[in-house]
């Protein structure tokens, strides 16, 4: 099997030849390829070069767009801070006062907004190279994350109690905008749309809050993606053990779980038919030895992947300091295990 066939077989419930690997990689690829990430943000060509170098060099099973940039929130009016040596982040939210600021939201055109158009061009170029060979994964914020980047996480946490009607309006607008962007990523050639949602972590909101404010909008976005014939991946950071069943109920084809979740417990809760992704520790990848990475990778497979419904990954974004040898160890150990 090639990488595309391997990943799609797992997602479709068939057994692959070996366990596929989809690492969360962004700046790490830039470093390996000798490309400045700040320049890569502005150049689809350089981004494709970094992704192509690493998928060829390390042999894992995907290529990514510029994941996790909060570009949709920037396009709607929040300010994005990009400083060399730091993860891009929203520095100023657009929604401070609902009565005056909802009308200030920009309804972006993903084809004319400079940053979104650059990301989409990267997806198109990756498609030209890897169609049917390596799956192209494109990142779209989950609705509650997008809302938090527009309003501010702390204010959203207050709004769920004190400004429900206004927050509901913002959630609807945010979800509509994400549907537009997801559809643009699909047209550009994405095989999998990854929805990232650190805000719905158990460390930030309760299960009840997730079910009221995260679940319905995420499910609507997942339904739209799947209706276009593309696979949906959902990643929620932190410990989500108490809400695993509702995360799966969004209909996501792939459920990516952080290292805070015990994969054996997750498999016990969700059963054999849910495709899990994860969850080798980013700390082990950054500071451990190749033997430690290899042992942890095999342990994840034994806990949750013996029936084939598993994609190996880190628990979250792999840091810049991860040695190349540790990536090699994760990929080779996963690819060595034949799925019976």
């Amino acid at each position: 099997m090639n990488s595309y066939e391997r990943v799609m077989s797992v997602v479709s419930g068939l057994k692959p030849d070996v366990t596929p690997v989809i690492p969360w990689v962004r700046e790490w690829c830039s470093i390996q390829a000798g490309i400045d990430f700040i320049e890569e943000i502005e150049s689809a060509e350089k981004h494709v070069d970094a992704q192509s170098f690493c998928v060829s060099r390390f042999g894992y099973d995907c290529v990514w767009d510029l994941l996790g940039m909060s570009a949709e929130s920037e396009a709607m009016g929040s300010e994005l801070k990009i400083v060399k040596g730091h993860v891009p982040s929203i520095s100023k939210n657009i929604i401070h006062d609902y009565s005056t600021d909802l009308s200030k939201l920009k309804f972006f055109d993903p084809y004319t907004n400079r940053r979104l158009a650059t990301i989409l061009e990267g997806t198109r170029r990756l498609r030209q190279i890897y169609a049917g060979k390596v799956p192209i994964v494109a990142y779209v914020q989950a609705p509650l994350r997008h809302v938090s980047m527009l309003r501010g996480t702390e204010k959203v946490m207050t709004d769920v109690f004190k400004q429900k009607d206004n927050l509901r309006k913002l959630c609807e607008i945010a979800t509509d905008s994400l549907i537009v962007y997801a559809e643009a990523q699909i047209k550009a050639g994405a095989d999998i749309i990854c929805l990232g949602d650190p805000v719905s972590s158990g460390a930030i909101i309760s299960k009840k809050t997730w079910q009221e404010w995260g679940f319905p909008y995420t499910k609507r976005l997942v339904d739209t993606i799947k209706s276009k014939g593309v696979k949906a991946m959902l990643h929620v950071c932190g410990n989500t053990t108490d809400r695993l069943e509702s995360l799966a109920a969004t209909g996501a084809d792939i459920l990516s779980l952080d290292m805070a979740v015990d994969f054996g417990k997750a498999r016990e809760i969700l059963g054999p038919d849910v495709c899990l992704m994860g969850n080798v520790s980013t700390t082990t990848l950054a500071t451990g030895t190749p033997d430690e990475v290899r042992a942890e990778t095999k342990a994840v497979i034994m806990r949750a992947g013996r029936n084939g419904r598993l994609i190996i990954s880190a628990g979250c974004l792999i840091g810049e300091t991860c040695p190349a040898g540790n990536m090699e160890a994760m990929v080779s150990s996963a690819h060595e295990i034949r799925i019976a």
Side-chain angles (χ1 to χ4, degrees):
M1 288 183 171
N2 65 23
S3 289
Y4 180 88
E5 294 164 341
R6 184 174 297 130
V7 171
M8 292 305 166
S9 68
V10 168
V11 175
S12 301
L14 304 174
K15 290 189 178 180
D17 53 346
V18 296
T19 303
V21 182
I22 296 183
W24 288 84
V25 281
R26 190 177 62 189
E27 294 97 325
W28 188 86
C29 288
S30 311
I31 291 170
Q32 304 306 311
I35 296 172
D36 191 317
F37 181 64
I38 296 295
E39 295 179 8
E40 187 180 334
I41 289 172
E42 305 297 330
S43 169
E45 181 179 2
K46 289 186 177 181
H47 172 69
V48 170
D49 285 346
Q51 288 291 312
S52 296
F53 175 85
C54 285
V55 76
S56 175
R57 164 71 175 77
F58 296 98
Y60 51 72
D61 298 297
C62 79
V63 286
W64 287 90
D65 74 344
L66 276 167
L67 68 98
M69 288 288 295
S70 300
E72 310 96 310
S73 305
E74 180 193 34
M76 294 191 77
S78 290
E79 294 182 11
L80 183 61
K81 182 179 180 181
I82 299 175
V83 179
K84 190 170 184 176
H86 296 273
V87 175
S89 62
I90 294 295
S91 59
K92 185 177 180 181
N93 309 111
I94 184 64
I95 303 293
H96 299 282
D97 184 331
Y98 281 112
S99 64
T100 59
D101 294 342
L102 269 178
S103 61
K104 295 179 183 177
L105 284 174
K106 301 173 184 176
F107 292 89
F108 59 75
D109 179 345
Y111 300 104
T112 59
N113 177 271
R114 182 178 60 83
R115 196 174 311 284
L116 295 180
T118 299
I119 295 172
L120 291 173
E121 178 61 22
T123 301
R124 279 191 290 270
R125 292 187 181 210
L126 289 169
R127 180 74 180 186
Q128 290 170 357
I129 300 168
Y130 294 110
K133 302 173 185 175
V134 178
I136 297 105
V137 187
Y139 182 97
V140 175
Q141 293 183 102
L144 197 56
R145 173 186 165 90
H146 187 24
V147 166
S148 296
M149 298 301 101
L150 295 171
R151 171 72 169 149
T153 303
E154 290 185 6
K155 289 180 180 178
V156 170
M157 295 304 102
T158 301
D159 293 347
V160 300
F161 300 105
K162 295 185 176 181
Q163 297 210 57
K164 288 192 173 188
D165 289 343
N166 283 323
L167 180 59
R168 196 73 71 188
K169 290 177 186 176
L170 182 56
C171 287
E172 292 288 348
I173 293 169
T175 304
D176 287 344
S177 72
L178 294 171
I179 287 172
V180 169
Y181 184 50
E183 290 179 342
Q185 284 279 24
I186 291 167
K187 288 178 182 177
D191 298 300
I192 300 170
I193 300 292
C194 173
L195 306 180
D197 192 1
V199 178
S200 292
S201 166
I204 298 179
I205 62 174
S206 68
K207 177 181 177 181
K208 181 177 181 295
T209 301
W210 146 254
Q211 290 176 325
E212 182 177 359
W213 295 99
F215 176 84
Y217 302 104
T218 301
K219 187 175 189 325
R220 182 181 161 208
L221 184 51
V222 168
D223 287 346
T224 300
I225 292 164
K226 294 178 69 170
S227 74
K228 305 297 180 181
V230 169
K231 304 301 183 183
M233 175 195 299
L234 176 61
H235 177 81
V236 180
C237 297
N239 193 339
T240 53
T241 306
D242 69 340
R243 63 204 65 183
L244 286 173
E245 290 173 302
S246 60
L247 293 178
T250 62
D253 299 285
I254 304 166
L255 200 56
S256 171
L257 304 177
D258 206 332
M259 47 271 192
V261 179
D262 180 278
F263 254 37
K265 183 68 173 177
R267 182 58 78 200
E268 179 184 331
I269 292 170
L270 296 173
D273 296 327
V274 174
C275 181
L276 298 178
M277 175 171 149
N279 70 344
V280 177
S281 166
T282 54
T283 301
T284 304
L285 284 164
T287 64
T289 66
D291 283 345
E292 289 171 333
V293 171
R294 191 179 299 275
E296 190 165 331
T297 301
K298 290 182 177 179
V300 171
I301 295 172
M302 291 303 102
R303 286 196 296 268
R306 285 174 289 181
N307 291 320
R309 296 283 271 163
L310 175 71
I311 297 169
I312 283 290
S313 183
C316 202
L317 190 68
I318 292 176
E320 300 176 24
T321 59
C322 172
N326 283 357
M327 178 66 77
E328 291 170 345
M330 182 170 70
V331 175
S332 64
S333 55
H335 285 180
E336 285 168 5
I337 298 177
R338 295 274 163 182
I339 304 302

